[in-house]
């Protein structure tokens, strides 16, 4: 989606559709829009539209279409609703055959700055153009869409950032939605190489031979039951201060998770293509970071493998050795993500980073705790956790902190190895998984873990997107990294 800026007010824009946000019954327009507000209020008198989240009303006005889109009541508002409302409006407009859109460049919304509004609304509009039709043989390519921000814009760079971030989301979404037979570890590595070249990043891919030489026994054990070889994909953004310590982002990239020998139930297993969502968030964030050309160096690591129950698969009770030498008893092969992540975290530590954040669809327990409304964040230092929560609130992705008590770490000890990959006692699955990962990061390196198992995927359609990958976490990571400059 191409963005532009026009100094003319929204009512004067000669576009097919005007996008107008509503907070409940309040029409959100900038000052100087009294005439347009009055016309819309008259149209709404006999309408069922109440400005609720996800609600879109298409109304004819002066030869154009107005797309009223709701963000809900003020007391329940969070930034994610604004981005979703923009996406829902564009999605509805596209379904009606509209191609050219305009929205106000500013609006008054408590707690949302002008630049935050432009980034959220623009990024959401771009996301609203996305549709996954790769394997639909009858699908026709949709015409390109445009969005004009109508009115004064103080910082035009924000509009460019919104366009770039929207393009990164849309550009990665097909890969994120692809099934395991198409988005293999090798295919993802090839995609990452091409993306890196296009965005000024460097890309190194470690195959099984190099991983074995390094002693990365965790990811190799995960991949041992399948025909697909594991890949460790390392992307680097040099930054404008190459002497600075890098931030490292690590993403779990399980291209398909059958559970291995500890086989998952068959019902719903087709959705396990989503287990690569952490890596997809990192891929997307790295594109955003590169296009914004942030000052700090950033490294993105994707630990890519598939977990299958083949004749060479890791068995429950097997002991594997992680990079750096710690031993792990694999008590359940369906707790495989942490085995791949422990090697990636070890490689991240070697880079002497200023901070490490890993992101993963790691536990079903987080869905029980938080559902699909928020991701869990846990870490070894309060500052990095608080920074990520704040970045998420600004970026429209809600994070909720869970603790890592010493009890949880104690429960990950094994009678036969240094660690077990599951807890000795039931409960607190998200926290015990994080406690396991914490064992691979020195205390003096700020580290946080984000569990997106409940937020990374939609199984049923929403007004702002069809079923599939949400790329949750990419927006937060890009926001947080940019704040570190």
């Amino acid at each position: 989606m191409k963005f532009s800026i026009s100094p003319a007010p929204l009512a004067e824009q000669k576009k097919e559709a005007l996008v107008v946000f509503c907070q409940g019954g309040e029409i959100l327009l900038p000052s100087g829009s009294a005439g347009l507000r009055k016309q819309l209020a008259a149209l709404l008198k006999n309408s069922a539209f109440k400005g609720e989240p996800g609600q879109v009303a298409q109304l004819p006005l002066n030869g154009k279409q107005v797309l009223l889109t709701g963000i809900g009541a003020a007391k329940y508002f969070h930034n994610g609703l604004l981005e979703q409302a923009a996406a829902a409006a564009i999605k509805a407009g596209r379904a009606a055959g509209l191609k050219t859109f305009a929205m106000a460049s500013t609006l008054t919304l408590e707690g949302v700055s002008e630049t935050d509004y432009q980034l959220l609304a623009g990024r959401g509009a771009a996301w609203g153009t996305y549709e996954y039709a790769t394997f639909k043989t009858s699908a026709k390519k949709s015409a390109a869409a445009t969005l004009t921000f109508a009115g004064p814009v103080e910082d035009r760079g924000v509009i460019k950032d919104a366009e770039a971030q929207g393009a990164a989301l849309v550009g990665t979404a097909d890969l994120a939605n692809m099934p395991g037979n198409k988005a293999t570890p090798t295919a993802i590595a090839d995609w990452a190489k091409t993306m890196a070249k296009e965005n000024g990043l460097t890309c190194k891919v470690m195959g099984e031979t190099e991983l074995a030489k390094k002693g990365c026994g965790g990811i190799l054990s995960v991949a041992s039951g399948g025909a697909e070889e594991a890949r460790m994909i390392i992307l680097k953004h040099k930054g404008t201060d190459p002497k600075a310590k890098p931030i490292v982002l690590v993403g779990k990239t399980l291209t398909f998770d059958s559970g291995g020998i500890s086989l998952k139930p068959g019902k719903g297993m087709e959705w396990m293509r989503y287990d690569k969502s952490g890596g997809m968030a990192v891929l997307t964030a790295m594109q955003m970071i590169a296009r914004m050309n942030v000052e700090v160096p950033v490294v993105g690591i994707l630990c890519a493998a598939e977990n299958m129950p083949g004749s060479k698969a890791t068995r429950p009770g097997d002991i594997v050795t992680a990079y750096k030498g710690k031993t792990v008893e694999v008590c359940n092969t369906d707790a495989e993500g942490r085995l791949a992540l422990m090697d990636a975290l070890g490689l991240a530590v070697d880079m002497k980073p200023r901070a490490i954040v890993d992101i993963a669809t790691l536990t079903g327990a987080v869905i029980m705790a938080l559902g699909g409304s928020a991701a869990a964040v846990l870490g070894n230092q309060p500052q990095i956790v608080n920074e990520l929560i704040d970045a998420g609130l600004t970026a429209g992705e809600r994070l909720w902190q869970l603790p890592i008590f010493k009890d949880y770490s104690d429960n990950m000890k094994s009678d036969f190895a240094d660690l077990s990959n599951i807890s000795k006692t039931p409960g607190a699955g998200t926290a015990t998984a994080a406690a396991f990962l914490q064992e691979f990061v020195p205390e003096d390196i700020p580290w946080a873990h984000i569990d997106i198992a409940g937020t990374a995927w939609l199984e049923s359609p929403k007004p702002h997107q069809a079923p599939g990958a949400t790329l949750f976490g990419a927006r937060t990571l890009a926001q947080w990294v940019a704040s570190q400059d």
Side-chain angles (χ1 to χ4, degrees):
M1 188 178 213
K2 293 296 182 183
F3 291 3
S4 62
I5 301 169
S6 169
L10 186 62
E12 296 178 15
Q13 294 296 317
K14 293 178 172 55
K15 307 298 179 185
E16 293 173 316
L18 308 181
V19 176
V20 177
F21 297 93
C22 293
Q23 190 165 53
E26 182 184 358
I27 299 168
L28 300 177
L29 286 169
S31 59
S33 304
L36 178 57
R37 183 181 283 106
K38 185 176 180 180
Q39 288 177 305
L40 293 176
L43 289 172
L44 282 175
K45 277 186 178 179
N46 299 316
S47 170
F49 179 80
K50 303 299 180 186
E52 296 172 358
Q55 245 191 332
V56 177
Q58 183 175 335
L59 304 173
L61 181 67
N62 303 329
K64 295 181 282 246
Q65 298 295 312
V66 175
L67 297 168
L68 292 170
T69 184
I71 62 173
K75 64 179 179 179
Y76 300 122
F77 175 77
H78 60 88
N79 284 8
L81 293 174
L82 179 59
E83 184 164 335
Q84 290 173 14
I90 300 300
K91 193 169 185 293
R94 297 282 282 172
L98 304 174
K99 300 185 291 295
T100 60
F101 302 86
M103 64 174 60
S105 62
T106 62
L107 55 75
T108 301
L109 190 57
E110 187 176 353
V112 180
S113 69
E114 178 179 315
T115 56
D116 287 345
Y117 157 70
Q118 290 161 355
L119 187 61
L120 291 160
R123 194 169 59 200
W127 187 241
T129 67
Y130 176 71
E131 54 184 332
Y132 183 55
T134 302
F135 299 105
K136 298 277 191 179
T137 56
S138 60
K140 295 180 181 179
K141 189 175 181 179
S142 299
T146 64
L147 174 66
T148 298
F149 283 91
V153 173
E154 288 189 13
D155 185 356
R156 289 174 174 256
V158 176
I159 306 299
K160 290 182 179 179
D161 286 347
E163 184 175 11
Q165 291 194 21
L169 288 164
V170 172
T172 311
D174 275 358
L175 182 68
N177 283 315
M178 280 187 184
N181 66 324
K182 300 295 183 181
T184 63
T186 300
I188 291 173
D190 291 342
W191 193 97
K193 288 178 185 176
T194 301
M195 181 277 289
K197 183 179 284 190
E198 292 172 350
N199 288 276
L201 303 168
T202 62
C203 181
K204 176 183 177 181
V205 178
M206 298 170 64
E208 288 201 344
T209 300
E210 189 173 357
L211 290 168
K213 285 181 180 178
K214 279 276 191 182
C216 294
I219 191 171
L220 293 174
S221 73
V222 174
S224 62
E228 296 291 337
E229 291 193 1
R231 294 286 184 269
M232 195 75 77
I233 304 162
I234 303 173
L235 296 157
K236 292 186 178 180
H237 166 70
K238 188 177 181 180
T240 56
D241 184 6
K243 293 182 179 179
K245 288 184 175 183
I247 289 171
V248 184
L249 310 176
V250 177
K252 174 189 172 186
T253 316
L254 265 289
T255 59
F256 186 78
D257 180 20
S258 70
I261 297 294
S262 306
L263 195 66
K264 292 179 181 291
K267 185 178 180 181
M269 197 189 289
E270 70 275 12
W271 291 112
M272 291 315 297
R273 67 177 73 181
Y274 108 121
D275 217 19
K276 63 182 181 293
S277 295
M280 297 300 100
V282 170
L283 268 185
T284 307
M286 290 301 294
Q287 292 171 74
M288 293 177 174
I289 288 161
R291 293 172 185 183
M292 292 189 293
N293 197 26
V294 301
E295 179 179 323
V296 61
V298 185
V299 179
I301 302 178
L302 283 69
C303 42
E306 68 172 14
N307 185 23
M308 299 293 283
S311 60
K312 296 182 180 180
T314 298
R315 297 160 288 255
D318 283 359
I319 293 175
V320 301
T321 303
Y323 179 60
K324 302 277 191 169
K326 282 188 178 179
T327 58
V328 177
E329 181 186 9
V330 182
C331 293
N332 187 317
T333 64
D334 195 24
E336 85 300 327
R338 63 201 71 182
L339 300 177
L341 285 168
M342 69 186 185
D343 290 335
L345 289 171
L347 294 170
V349 169
D350 282 352
M351 297 172 186
K352 297 180 172 51
R354 61 194 284 179
I356 301 171
V357 177
D358 74 75
I359 183 166
T361 48
L362 204 62
T363 67
V366 78
I367 303 174
M368 299 299 292
L370 300 173
S373 298
V377 60
L378 310 92
N380 64 355
Q381 297 182 20
Q383 182 175 339
I384 188 171
V385 170
N386 291 334
E387 286 177 354
L388 286 166
I389 291 171
D390 289 344
L393 287 173
T394 301
E397 296 178 330
R398 292 181 291 183
L399 306 182
W400 192 265
Q401 184 178 10
L402 295 178
I404 307 179
F405 297 133
K406 184 177 182 298
D407 313 50
Y408 301 148
S409 298
D410 292 342
N411 285 341
M412 301 307 291
K413 304 300 181 186
S414 167
D415 293 330
F416 303 102
D418 297 327
L419 296 166
S420 168
N421 76 326
I422 59 172
S423 174
K424 292 178 180 178
T425 58
T430 302
T432 55
F436 175 90
L437 295 176
Q438 185 176 233
E439 295 291 324
F440 299 90
V441 182
E443 291 181 4
D444 62 340
I445 297 177
W447 160 81
H449 161 68
I450 303 174
D451 193 332
I452 58 171
T455 55
W457 197 266
L458 289 181
E459 292 188 15
S460 56
K462 299 286 186 182
H464 63 279
Q465 80 157 83
T470 65
L471 295 174
F472 187 101
R475 303 161 183 83
T476 295
L477 292 175
Q479 182 78 33
W480 175 67
V481 167
S483 74
Q484 303 300 299
D485 280 355

